[in-house]
Each structure stands twice: as structure tokens, then as C-alpha cells.
Amino acid sequence: MIWKGIKLEFYRAFHNIWYVGALLAATAIALVQFLAMVMPKTVAIGSGDSIDYPHSVFNSSLMFCLGSFYDEIFYLSIILLATVPYAASYYMDVKEGYIKNISTRMDTTGYLMGKYLAVFVSAGSICAIPLILNTYLTAMVLPSLKPEIATAVFPVIKGSFAQELFYTYPYLYTLLYIVIDFIMAGLYGCLALVISRIVNNRYIVMFFPFVVYLVFRTVITYTPLEQLSPYYIMDPQQFGIIEEAPYIISGMAALFLITAAGFKIAGGKRNDIL
């Protein structure tokens, strides 16, 4: 019965026009960056125009185009794009009486677990899929030259989190950060499930994770704990942050505890009321 609830929620999450629209919007940013910043670099290959260091996947793709407009736009908007499609679904299920009907046909534990996992995976995939596509397209037209720290043309500096991995196995580093971004986007999406218990407005529920993301990013930048900024955690360029691992782990752990425990308690109480 638990599996039935999980399967149903995944079906609802991914057979959703809002999910398709958000994924297309995020993918559009990745494709525009590829066309505007990566493709022009293919002209310089073998022409002698690139005199500093040959262009590489690891200083040209969306994840590694140091300080670019597209990198800023992607990591600024991705939480909004990832959370809007399905994050408010629990609120709407309660408001429209769907949860009353579903509770008579299956275990509510399966429904709640399925809801949390579906929101998490759908939000995370909206973030991860465009990054994978952009990296793949970039690798098709530019060489995967191993980064050289002495060239100073790669975004990960000496002493940064997992810098040995980046300069030794850059694709593993890329995969690591795609996983980190997937988890962070998914957990921020699940924040909406928690706030669903507190407020009675669909739009507040939908935009709450994005507002938290923006406020947290802005305020914490001016404190000694700026490494906990979700923007810094998600961007693989790290912006010179040193020894980031404890902040990444603690940030994700805190979000998981808040969302999982909060939704379990809130969801259970709301169902009891129903």
C-alpha cells in the first residue's frame, strides 16, 4: 500500500504541464549559454586565437563559466523553477478534498512519503537535467582537457572543496556537484510542504522556498557564515570559498531534518484534522 502511494505521487508530479514548462525554462537557460558562450569558442580551436590556454569543457560549460551572466541567472532562478510546479500540490490536495478521498483507498503514510519523494525528485530533476544536457553538449564540441591550476583559467582554486578531485577527475567533480544541486533543489522544494501546514494561501506556499533562498543568500553574505549560503553551496565554482565540505553537509542535513520532520508532523496533524 505504501508503494501504491509513492507510485501515484510520482505519476502526478511528472505528468504535470507545470513540470514540463519549468524544465523547458531551465533547459532554455542551459541551451542559450551553450549557443552564446560555448559555440563561439569552437571557432578558436586550432586557430591560434586562444593563446592563454585551450578552451575546455571545464572552463566553458554552464557549471564552470566563471562569473558569467548565464551562471548567475541559472543559480538565481533555479529554486523558483524547481519548486513552483509541484511544491504546492499538498496544499491543493487538502484544499480540494483530494486527500480525503485518497485516505479511504490507501495508507496515508504511503501518500505522505510519496508526496515528499515526488516533490524532492521533481524539483531536483528540474535543476540537474539542464546541467547534464549543457555539459554533454559542451563535451561534444570542446575538448575535455584536464584542468591545470597554474593556468588560472579554471574556477576552482587551490584549497577549495574537492579541488583535488576537480584537477584529477573533473568529470567526477562535475557529477558530484550535479548530485549536490539535485539534493539542494529537491530539499528547497520540500520546504513548501512544511509551510503548507502554516499558511492558507497557495501562492505563498509556491514562492516561499524561493523567498527563503533569496533572503538567506542576501543576509548571510554579510555574516561570518556566508559559506552556508545556498547559492554558494550549489555553484561548483565556489567563488573562492575554502574547505566548504562541512558547510555543504551541515546545510543539506539541516534542510533535510526541517523538511522531513516538519512535513511528517504537519502532514500527520493535518490528516488527523481531516
Side-chain angles (χ1 to χ4, degrees):
M1 292 296 289
I2 291 179
W3 172 246
K4 182 179 179 181
I6 295 174
K7 184 178 180 180
L8 176 62
E9 286 305 310
F10 269 81
Y11 180 87
R12 295 177 66 203
F14 289 98
H15 289 75
N16 178 350
I17 189 63
W18 289 99
Y19 174 83
V20 175
L23 181 59
L24 288 176
T27 301
I29 299 174
L31 289 176
V32 171
Q33 188 275 339
F34 172 75
L35 294 174
M37 297 193 68
V38 177
M39 287 303 295
K41 293 182 178 181
T42 62
V43 178
I45 296 178
S47 68
D49 294 336
S50 181
I51 60 175
D52 295 324
Y53 193 78
H55 298 303
S56 167
V57 174
F58 309 110
N59 61 8
S60 302
S61 68
L62 178 60
M63 296 177 69
F64 300 115
C65 53
L66 185 60
S68 79
F69 168 79
Y70 300 100
D71 172 82
E72 176 73 16
I73 288 297
F74 182 83
Y75 283 105
L76 179 65
S77 63
I78 195 59
I79 296 299
L80 178 63
L81 293 173
T83 57
V84 164
Y86 201 59
S89 61
Y90 175 70
Y91 169 82
M92 295 305 298
D93 285 353
V94 174
K95 185 176 180 62
E96 296 175 356
Y98 175 84
I99 195 172
K100 292 181 179 179
N101 295 326
I102 210 71
S103 63
T104 62
R105 291 181 290 162
M106 68 176 65
D107 184 1
T108 54
T109 300
Y111 166 78
L112 294 174
M113 186 180 297
K115 179 67 71 179
Y116 184 92
L117 291 175
V119 170
F120 176 81
V121 174
S122 62
S125 65
I126 290 172
C127 178
I129 290 174
L131 295 176
I132 295 171
L133 176 63
N134 180 272
T135 301
Y136 177 77
L137 292 175
T138 304
M140 289 180 63
V141 298
L142 291 180
S144 300
L145 294 177
K146 183 180 291 188
E148 293 289 342
I149 195 168
T151 62
V153 297
F154 294 94
V156 180
I157 67 173
K158 184 178 181 180
S160 295
F161 165 64
Q163 59 96 11
E164 297 90 351
L165 186 64
F166 177 75
Y167 286 101
T168 307
Y169 302 104
Y171 274 117
L172 284 180
Y173 180 92
T174 302
L175 178 60
L176 170 65
Y177 258 94
I178 290 175
V179 171
I180 290 173
D181 288 352
F182 179 97
I183 294 172
M184 287 293 292
L187 290 175
Y188 264 90
C190 291
L191 274 179
L193 297 177
V194 179
I195 201 67
S196 296
R197 177 67 178 99
I198 302 172
V199 302
N200 193 33
N201 184 291
R202 177 182 182 180
Y203 296 101
I204 293 178
V205 172
M206 289 172 62
F207 293 104
F208 178 77
F210 179 63
V211 172
V212 170
Y213 178 77
L214 281 183
V215 171
F216 203 23
R217 174 191 173 183
T218 303
V219 172
I220 206 169
T221 301
Y222 300 99
T223 73
L225 298 176
E226 66 174 344
Q227 291 96 331
L228 283 173
S229 167
Y231 181 84
Y232 286 159
I233 290 176
M234 294 181 69
D235 198 317
Q237 299 179 48
Q238 300 187 51
F239 296 98
I241 295 176
I242 309 300
E243 298 299 335
E244 197 179 33
Y247 299 99
I248 293 176
I249 295 171
S250 59
M252 291 193 297
L255 271 175
F256 173 73
L257 291 175
I258 291 170
T259 56
F263 182 54
K264 172 62 177 176
I265 296 171
K269 288 183 177 179
R270 197 152 201 171
N271 282 313
D272 289 343
I273 293 173
L274 291 171

